[in-house]
Amino acid sequence: MEVVLEKKDAADWVYRGEGAANLVLGYSGSAPAFIGKVMRLQKAPINGSKSMNSPTALTMHERLLWKDTEDIVATSNKELACQLFVKHIMSPLLGSTHVDSGMRVPASKEFLESVEKNIICQRPASRVDAAKVDTQCDSVLLMSDHSLFPRGTQEVEPCISVEIKPKCGFLPSSKFIDEGNAIKRSITRFRMHQALKLHQGEVSEYSEYNPLDLFSGSKERIHKAIRDLFSTPQNNFRVFLNGSQIFGGLGGGADSTDFVTRGKFEDALKCVIQGGDGLRTMSFLLLVAETVHKSGVLDRLLEVQKLDNLDIDGAIHAYYDIVSEPCRVCRASGKEKMSQRYLSLHSISLDESLKIVKDFLIAATAKDCSLMISFRPRKDGNPGSPYNNLYLDSTNQFFDYKVQSFLFFRSD
């Protein structure tokens, strides 16, 4: 029998966080079908413009773009198409063990309206002013709660998880980058977005984090990146203890970590990390850094990000050829030299243009994903555990760990 979420179910779902296009809720009830699950809800803008979700078939050009993936092209529902994109496109590239495409569950309008009322006071004011739950959807996306380990062990150990938004891990070097945009060859995309957010008042200071450190493959630089994320988490670094958030911003982010916040976090680690006061946080950040390095998950993510080898300055030309429109970039340049520069991109076959745009979109998704890493102390070594493990020398502890990548469309 198919489960349909009704108004009576809304009270069991609690706010976890949000991006620009989606809300994430956790389950607090007792229904076996939902225990250990999180829900992703589409948002709709407050200003009355077209909903972020539109349950209609793909456009003609989208169908052309994904023609090799029949399930995506055949669906008449935009939400389902997004889920199938994760399942058929992103999962094979990043590895099915790291990607959870989730499952869609029918939801009534009354359920969505009740959820909206229940969580509005928990959401950041800036998010509330911008968007609300899209009550025109007829389903929601259900995924495993990767901030927890599955139940079933004889003795339940505390679980601590960290969610990281790695962002783009390389500097573009495409020959098609316009000289007016040459700054992107030397300044990370993340740093440029930080400048924009600071200018628009979305953050009060620059983040200390540099994605190039996290993706470097160097233990020292990865450790620095994790420390910097902890110092200025914004919405890029959150920590959960047994599924409940204990550090980082919710939907709006948190700027810098002050003395009081550090103290509360240090205390919260007592049940997981051994060590004296002032040392547990350092050990936890080292544990995260060591796991990022050992797992190698960012190596694969970086490979997918680098499918964007022409940058938007190059891919845009292929796009105009696909939609059969005059290239506005070439027209705007008004210079023969500029037109000659991009002539090679306008001389390729349609299939080659499609590949360029597909790779660009896949890479863009990989640049905007979240990484969830969960840990639990491994009691007495527990050699029978099915999970990967890591020994933390500073605390003399073994930890089980698991790594999961979440793919959010149009998040931040």
Side-chain angles (χ1 to χ4, degrees):
M1 184 176 177
E2 187 178 57
V3 176
V4 179
L5 291 162
E6 304 289 355
K7 182 178 181 179
K8 61 181 175 59
D9 302 312
D12 293 330
W13 293 93
V14 296
Y15 182 78
R16 279 282 187 87
E18 62 188 287
N22 300 289
L23 287 146
V24 178
L25 309 181
Y27 186 66
S28 63
S30 57
F34 299 123
I35 290 175
K37 302 292 184 183
V38 293
M39 176 189 297
R40 195 181 80 179
L41 300 174
Q42 296 274 344
K43 291 162 62 173
I46 290 292
N47 60 18
S49 61
K50 187 178 178 181
S51 168
M52 293 177 183
N53 170 66
S54 180
T56 57
L58 303 185
T59 67
M60 176 183 70
H61 295 118
E62 286 172 332
R63 290 197 298 273
L64 180 63
L65 201 60
W66 306 110
K67 62 182 180 179
D68 295 331
T69 311
E70 187 176 340
D71 281 1
I72 296 178
V73 175
T75 182
S76 59
N77 187 295
K78 194 79 169 182
E79 295 176 5
L80 183 56
C82 288
Q83 182 196 0
L84 292 172
F85 173 81
V86 173
K87 179 180 180 180
H88 294 302
I89 305 297
M90 300 306 302
S91 184
L93 289 169
L94 292 174
S96 58
T97 57
H98 294 313
V99 178
D100 184 355
S101 59
M103 62 178 291
R104 298 215 70 85
V105 176
S108 68
K109 185 174 184 178
E110 291 74 22
F111 169 80
L112 296 172
E113 289 174 340
S114 294
V115 165
E116 167 70 19
K117 291 177 183 177
N118 293 345
I119 67 172
I120 193 166
C121 62
Q122 298 169 275
R123 299 175 59 203
S126 60
R127 297 289 196 186
V128 173
D129 292 341
K132 60 181 181 179
V133 172
D134 189 344
T135 57
Q136 300 306 309
C137 294
D138 58 7
S139 66
V140 297
L141 186 67
L142 212 62
M143 302 179 359
S144 295
D145 185 350
H146 295 288
S147 68
L148 299 169
F149 280 83
R151 297 186 179 186
T153 55
Q154 292 89 348
E155 235 179 291
V156 179
E157 296 291 335
C159 172
I160 191 163
S161 305
V162 59
E163 181 189 355
I164 300 170
K165 291 185 178 180
K167 303 300 184 180
C168 181
F170 71 99
L171 293 173
S173 58
S174 169
K175 66 180 181 180
F176 297 109
I177 294 175
D178 184 84
E179 288 309 310
N181 299 326
I183 189 174
K184 66 174 73 175
R185 291 195 179 101
S186 56
I187 304 295
T188 65
R189 180 179 177 214
F190 178 75
R191 184 68 174 181
M192 288 189 283
H193 281 172
Q194 283 287 299
L196 178 62
K197 287 183 175 183
L198 188 65
H199 176 72
Q200 294 177 338
E202 294 182 31
V203 297
S204 60
E205 61 182 309
Y206 280 110
S207 170
E208 297 175 16
Y209 170 60
N210 183 347
L212 301 186
D213 289 332
L214 191 67
F215 284 88
S216 67
S218 160
K219 280 187 179 182
E220 291 74 19
R221 290 183 66 187
I222 292 172
H223 192 194
K224 178 183 183 303
I226 300 300
R227 293 197 308 269
D228 290 343
L229 282 166
F230 180 76
S231 296
T232 48
Q234 296 184 2
N235 65 337
N236 303 311
F237 190 84
R238 300 194 296 165
V239 181
F240 301 84
L241 181 61
N242 297 326
S244 298
Q245 185 172 330
I246 60 170
F247 180 83
L250 287 170
D255 285 343
S256 59
T257 304
D258 58 27
F259 180 78
V260 173
T261 302
R262 289 175 184 270
K264 290 180 178 178
F265 184 70
E266 179 78 14
D267 288 342
L269 292 176
K270 284 181 179 179
C271 65
V272 186
I273 306 290
Q274 296 176 3
D277 288 346
L279 299 177
R280 289 185 292 272
T281 298
M282 293 171 58
S283 293
F284 172 70
L285 298 179
L286 180 60
L287 175 65
V288 175
E290 292 278 355
T291 306
V292 168
H293 183 268
K294 181 180 179 180
S295 71
V297 66
L298 289 184
D299 297 337
R300 199 158 183 176
L301 183 63
L302 185 60
E303 285 182 21
V304 179
Q305 291 184 357
K306 287 185 174 181
L307 289 175
D308 172 21
N309 59 355
L310 300 185
D311 192 70
I312 182 62
D313 285 13
I316 190 65
H317 298 272
Y319 165 79
Y320 279 119
D321 285 346
I322 291 171
V323 299
S324 301
E325 290 183 12
C327 180
R328 297 180 187 178
V329 178
C330 291
R331 180 187 294 178
S333 68
K335 300 176 183 176
E336 184 65 24
K337 187 177 180 181
M338 290 292 287
S339 297
Q340 288 296 320
R341 182 181 189 180
Y342 301 117
L343 184 61
S344 61
L345 289 173
H346 291 292
S347 304
I348 60 179
S349 68
L350 176 60
D351 282 344
E352 289 174 302
S353 294
L354 288 170
K355 186 179 186 307
I356 288 172
V357 175
K358 279 174 63 175
D359 285 349
F360 175 81
L361 294 174
I362 291 169
T365 305
K367 293 172 187 177
D368 197 23
C369 75
S370 289
L371 191 70
M372 180 75 80
I373 308 175
S374 301
F375 305 92
R376 67 180 179 192
R378 177 178 282 200
K379 197 168 184 179
D380 300 325
N382 189 14
S385 173
Y387 295 98
N388 293 314
N389 71 92
L390 187 143
Y391 175 70
L392 188 60
D393 187 63
S394 62
T395 66
N396 192 30
Q397 288 176 279
F398 281 95
F399 290 87
D400 286 332
Y401 72 86
K402 61 188 182 83
V403 182
Q404 196 76 25
S405 299
F406 293 99
L407 298 160
F408 294 101
F409 296 90
R410 296 169 57 190
S411 59
D412 278 300

